[in-house]
């Protein structure tokens, strides 16, 4: 659109070349759109299949265009797997996952951003050492601390709790560093002026720096949210009963059984997809641009 | 900001500064305590447990110190080396597929296109899809012998290429996991490439355009050199991811058929959780950490060479 506005005052011959450029652009958009549709077609197929009642029909329809069309959509599968108790209590597992997601992300935002703020602007002795430690800790993969962590949790009698699934992943070197980077690039005057007005560090954080960090908050929310939602290995190890079992583990176990009820597995998968999709759509506006800002350095 | 020019003197200097530091300590303490408890402590513990015969459930017999016994046992276990070979194979296949896909889509999306945000959002959708859901979807696509992939294969080849048992054939199982993993994760690499492309100064393109460089030459002489650090970053995080391969394997193949998809993390979970030998599993986790550390240090070295 802005291209057109720019080119209007130009002389005629230029405009003709602009016209052919426009066709090229349309072709490009169509190509990109087609590739995008191919890439997301498996997701669309999942949605369609979850609306079909007959699990044998679902398999029979795969591999033809029927996989993308449902003639009489029904929510039966969802009713069947949406329960809060019983064998297929995916409603309950979904709730568990949502509780874990909400508590992890909200406490993670506060704790990591406060730490990042202090590392960027505070006068704590040994700040540089702490920062170096945070960066060094980032290298340790979750997979390589999970076994000792399992001993700790089982000795503390915390297996099968929400706490065991939330507490270890709240503070994270990656997000502390992300916030540190974001806060450190804000102008010095901002901090100094507030300090001169006699504001305490927490006050400065709470009423000036935190409100300014919305883009970093959005990025962290999305990354942390995806991470928490997709946890699989750790909850497999620490949940034995349905009490705190998240939906990822429930689907994984259900799917691992011999006779696969595709219809129910599909419906449960759609259930699992919906919240993170909503979450993503809400934050997407900030996400791509702010993630672009932090990705390479992070 | 309504910053007042009048300088208000901080009441007595010292005690106020002390109070500030105390408050700052209180602000950073939750993060430090949590990280010490759940990251540093288990990390240090893993070195200790890896030298013992620590079981998962406490036993009356005391825990014995084994020295490097667990490490020797692992390094002389054929299954461990199969797992190492498998993740290496996996990373060699996934690098071109996943990074290529990510680079291509990033190049396509890095132009001023209408619906740009919508398109970016669509391309990123697989990346927000949980691996468990991805396994359910691709599990149907891989169905043998009448799943969609086999139908398309038969249709394209005119029935000459027989149905492939994607997940059940040792020759194909790892390759199938590569395809689904690349599909799930390319979105993140795409966003990183988009960031890299945005970081190349527009003036470089303008200058080369004035010099009459063709599109192709601009790509090779401006875009590619500008993306060097991004390439290094993307290649190395993809390699690290490959070495941590687990969820897909646990859900779809359990390391089979005939160990063709056994991975390091799957090996670790099997010995620690199923066989309850936590000492042994901790030794695997230390080895995994060392591998990741080497890859990360390589990345730092390479990036320094391109002086970024």
């Amino acid at each position: 659109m802005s291209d057109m506005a720019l080119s209007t005052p130009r002389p005629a011959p230029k405009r003709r070349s602009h016209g052919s450029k426009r066709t090229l652009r349309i072709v490009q958009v169509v190509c990109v759109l087609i590739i995008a549709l191919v890439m997301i077609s498996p997701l669309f197929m999942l949605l369609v299949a979850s609306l079909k009642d007959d699990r044998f029909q679902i398999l029979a329809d795969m591999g033809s265009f029927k996989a993308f069309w449902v003639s009489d959509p029904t929510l039966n599968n969802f009713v069947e797997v949406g329960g809060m108790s019983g064998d297929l209590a995916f409603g309950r597992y979904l709730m568990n996952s949502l509780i874990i997601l909400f508590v992890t992300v909200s406490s993670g935002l506060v704790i990591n951003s406060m730490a990042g703020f202090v590392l960027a602007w505070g006068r704590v002795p040994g700040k540089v050492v702490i920062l170096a430690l945070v960066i060094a800790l980032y290298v340790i993969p979750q997979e390589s601390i999970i076994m000792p962590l399992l001993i700790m949790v089982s000795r503390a009698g915390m297996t099968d709790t929400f706490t065991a699934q939330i507490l270890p992943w709240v503070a994270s070197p990656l997000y502390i560093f992300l916030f540190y980077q974001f806060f450190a690039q804000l102008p010095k005057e901002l901090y100094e002026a507030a300090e001169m007005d006699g504001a305490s560090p927490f006050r400065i954080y709470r009423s000036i720096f935190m409100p300014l960090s919305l883009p970093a908050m959005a990025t962290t929310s999305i990354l942390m949210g995806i991470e928490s939602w997709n946890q699989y290995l750790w909850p497999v190890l620490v949940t034995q009963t349905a009490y705190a079992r998240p939906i990822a583990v429930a689907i994984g176990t259900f799917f691992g059984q011999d006779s696969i009820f595709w219809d129910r597995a599909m419906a449960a998968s759609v259930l699992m997809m919906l919240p993170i999709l909503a979450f993503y759509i809400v934050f997407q506006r900030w996400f791509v641009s702010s993630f672009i800002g932090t990705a390479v350095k992070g | 900001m309504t910053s007042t020019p009048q300088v208000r003197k901080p009441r007595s200097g010292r005690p106020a500064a002390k109070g500030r530091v105390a408050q700052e300590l209180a602000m950073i303490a939750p993060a430090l305590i949590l990280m010490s408890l759940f990251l540093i402590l288990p990390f240090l513990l893993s070195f200790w447990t890896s030298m013992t015969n620590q079981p998962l459930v406490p036993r009356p017999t005391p825990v014995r110190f084994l020295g490097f016994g667990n490490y020797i046992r692992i390094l002389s276990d054929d299954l461990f080396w199969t797992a190492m070979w498998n993740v290496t194979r996996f990373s060699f296949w996934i690098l071109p597929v996943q990074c290529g896909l990510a680079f291509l889509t990033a190049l396509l999306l890095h132009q001023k296109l209408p619906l740009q945000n919508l398109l970016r959002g669509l391309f990123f959708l697989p990346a927000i899809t949980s691996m468990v859901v991805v396994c359910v979807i691709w599990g149907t696509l891989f169905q043998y012998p009448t799943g969609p992939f086999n139908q398309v294969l038969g249709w394209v080849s005119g029935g000459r290429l027989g149905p492939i048992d994607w997940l059940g054939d040792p020759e194909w199982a790892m390759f199938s996991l590569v395809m689904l993993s690349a599909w799930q994760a390319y979105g993140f690499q795409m966003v990183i490439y988009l960031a890299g492309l945005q970081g190349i100064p527009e003036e470089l393109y303008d200058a080369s355009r004035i010099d009459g460089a063709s599109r192709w030459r601009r790509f090779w002489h401006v875009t590619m050199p500008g993306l060097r650090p991004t390439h290094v970053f993307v290649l190395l995080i993809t390699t690290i991811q490959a070495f941590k391969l687990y969820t897909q394997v646990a859900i779809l193949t359990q390391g089979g058929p005939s160990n063709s998809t056994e991975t390091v993390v799957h090996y670790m979970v099997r010995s620690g959780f199923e066989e309850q030998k936590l000492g042994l599993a901790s030794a695997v986790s230390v080895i995994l950490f060392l591998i990741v550390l080497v890859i990360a240090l390589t990345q730092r070295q390479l990036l320094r060479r391109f002086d970024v």
Side-chain angles (χ1 to χ4, degrees):
Chain A
M1 281 297 128
S2 58
D3 274 14
M4 256 171 45
L6 273 176
S7 64
T8 22
R10 281 183 189 169
K14 282 242 164 134
R15 200 179 290 157
R16 207 186 299 137
S17 85
H18 185 254
S20 73
K21 238 182 189 168
R22 241 186 95 164
T23 13
L24 185 73
R25 183 142 291 182
I26 290 170
V27 172
Q28 266 178 348
V29 174
V30 172
C31 285
V32 177
L33 209 56
I34 288 173
I35 300 174
L37 289 179
V38 170
M39 292 312 281
I40 62 160
S41 61
L43 291 174
F44 188 65
M45 198 192 74
L46 170 75
L47 181 68
V48 170
S50 73
L51 299 172
K52 290 178 183 170
D53 213 2
D54 182 351
R55 69 186 165 111
F56 299 107
Q57 196 56 43
I58 290 176
L59 279 190
D61 285 353
M62 294 280 166
S64 70
F65 284 106
K66 279 191 199 150
F68 299 106
W69 184 250
V70 51
S71 41
D72 44 352
T74 160
L75 292 176
N76 279 354
N77 295 329
F78 290 96
V79 174
E80 220 169 312
V81 302
M84 297 303 281
S85 62
D87 281 345
L88 297 168
F90 284 97
R92 182 198 177 112
Y93 303 135
L94 188 69
M95 276 303 286
N96 288 348
S97 280
L98 283 171
I99 293 170
I100 295 167
L101 171 89
F102 181 75
V103 179
T104 311
V105 172
S106 51
S107 54
L109 282 179
V110 176
I111 287 176
N112 293 318
S113 71
M114 276 196 317
F117 171 78
V118 173
L119 288 177
W121 293 103
R123 298 204 185 103
V124 185
K127 212 175 70 173
V128 190
V129 181
I130 300 176
L131 186 61
L133 184 73
V134 167
I135 295 172
L137 288 176
Y138 173 55
V139 181
I140 303 174
Q142 191 204 49
E143 286 80 356
S144 73
I145 55 162
I146 231 163
M147 286 296 150
L149 203 56
L150 183 61
I151 310 182
M152 288 169 56
V153 165
S154 64
R155 294 286 193 277
M158 290 208 312
T159 41
D160 247 344
T161 58
F162 285 96
T163 322
Q165 292 180 72
I166 294 169
L167 216 50
W169 317 120
V170 167
S172 153
L174 172 65
Y175 305 123
I176 294 177
F177 187 69
L178 225 90
F179 275 110
Y180 159 77
Q181 246 184 354
F182 183 85
F183 287 130
Q185 71 183 5
L186 293 174
K188 210 166 97 190
E189 291 74 28
L190 221 53
Y191 187 89
E192 283 173 348
E195 196 183 22
M196 271 175 197
D197 287 348
S200 68
F202 184 74
R203 208 37 229 291
I204 301 178
Y205 160 78
R206 177 68 196 83
S207 45
I208 300 173
F209 281 77
M210 202 183 82
L212 281 174
S213 70
L214 270 179
M217 293 260 175
T219 310
T220 309
S221 302
I222 292 195
L223 291 178
M224 261 189 125
I226 293 176
E227 205 183 295
S228 158
W229 198 247
N230 296 349
Q231 285 270 13
Y232 184 75
L233 175 53
W234 179 244
V236 164
L237 298 179
V238 293
T239 59
Q240 273 116 40
T241 66
Y243 169 66
R245 181 177 293 155
I247 190 165
V249 176
I251 295 177
T253 339
F254 180 64
F255 193 67
Q257 290 164 359
D258 284 335
S259 61
I260 293 169
F261 292 90
W262 290 105
D263 47 352
R264 295 169 190 172
M266 297 276 183
S269 301
V270 171
L271 277 186
M272 184 173 181
M273 193 70 206
L274 288 178
I276 200 78
L277 197 65
F279 193 72
Y280 173 64
I281 290 170
V282 170
F283 286 104
Q284 196 250 352
R285 200 144 46 105
W286 298 283
F287 177 58
V288 176
S289 55
S290 84
F291 189 63
I292 280 174
T294 46
V296 173
K297 299 161 226 154
Chain B
M1 258 322 288
T2 51
S3 58
T4 42
Q6 307 148 302
V7 178
R8 223 191 288 165
K9 275 220 172 123
R11 290 143 241 164
S12 59
R14 277 269 152 206
K18 242 186 196 163
R20 299 187 80 87
V21 168
Q23 202 177 49
E24 282 166 4
L25 275 176
M27 286 170 78
I28 201 173
L32 290 184
I33 292 170
L34 284 175
M35 280 198 303
S36 313
L37 255 178
F38 295 112
L39 189 55
I40 301 175
L41 181 63
F43 178 65
L44 297 177
L45 265 178
S46 72
F47 288 93
W48 165 249
T49 16
S50 74
M51 304 235 179
T52 66
N53 66 344
Q54 175 87 268
L56 181 57
V57 184
R59 271 185 311 214
T61 48
V63 176
R64 264 189 312 130
F65 183 76
L66 299 174
F68 287 99
N70 285 327
Y71 291 93
I72 293 168
R73 223 179 113 185
I74 291 164
L75 295 179
S76 54
D77 184 358
D78 284 343
L79 188 56
F80 174 75
W81 289 108
T82 310
M84 283 294 282
W85 167 239
N86 284 337
V87 287
T88 315
R89 224 159 35 113
F90 180 84
S91 62
F92 270 110
W93 279 338
I94 202 156
L95 280 176
V97 179
Q98 183 175 325
C99 301
L101 197 60
F103 188 39
L104 203 78
T105 45
L107 283 178
L108 284 172
L109 290 178
H110 182 60
Q111 315 167 44
K112 278 221 181 65
L113 294 174
L115 306 173
Q116 196 176 35
N117 277 335
L118 176 78
L119 283 168
R120 277 180 181 176
L122 284 180
F123 275 107
F124 195 70
L125 271 186
I128 64 161
T129 310
S130 167
M131 190 42 93
V132 179
V133 175
V134 173
C135 287
V136 172
I137 301 175
W138 284 68
T140 53
L141 295 177
F142 283 138
Q143 280 287 297
Y144 176 77
T146 51
F149 279 175
N150 279 324
Q151 299 221 8
V152 171
L153 191 71
W155 180 61
V156 169
S157 68
R160 255 161 302 170
L161 294 175
I164 293 172
D165 193 355
W166 296 99
L167 294 168
D169 183 340
E171 299 281 317
W172 284 98
M174 194 50 115
F175 179 72
S176 308
L177 291 184
V178 167
M179 289 200 290
L180 86 94
S181 312
W183 178 77
Q184 195 265 342
Y186 79 93
F188 275 105
Q189 274 86 336
M190 176 191 84
V191 175
I192 296 167
Y193 270 123
L194 275 172
L197 286 168
Q198 283 192 357
I200 301 173
E202 198 54 41
E203 298 87 62
L204 287 180
Y205 285 105
D206 291 340
S208 67
R209 218 170 271 135
I210 291 165
D211 290 346
S214 66
R215 247 166 189 270
W216 188 241
R217 283 186 68 88
R218 279 208 300 272
F219 176 74
W220 280 109
H221 295 280
V222 180
T223 310
M224 285 309 259
L227 283 179
R228 227 175 260 156
T230 317
H231 283 310
V232 172
F233 181 72
V234 165
L235 291 181
L236 287 158
I237 54 163
T238 313
T239 318
I240 292 179
Q241 271 177 7
F243 273 84
K244 299 196 287 193
L245 180 64
Y246 175 75
T247 309
Q248 301 91 304
V249 173
I251 295 174
L252 288 174
T253 64
Q254 291 87 42
S258 46
N259 295 330
S260 62
T261 58
E262 180 71 1
T263 70
V264 177
V265 177
H266 193 255
Y267 180 92
M268 177 183 86
V269 174
R270 201 193 280 192
S271 44
F273 194 58
E274 282 152 38
E275 297 168 19
Q276 306 262 311
K277 291 172 186 151
L278 266 170
L280 200 68
S282 298
V284 182
S285 64
V286 171
I287 296 174
L288 181 72
F289 166 72
L290 293 176
I291 296 171
V292 171
L293 183 69
V294 167
I295 300 173
L297 290 177
T298 316
Q299 176 195 359
R300 188 161 294 181
Q301 278 303 312
L302 284 174
L303 283 179
R304 200 166 288 163
R305 192 167 302 168
F306 300 131
D307 64 295
V308 189

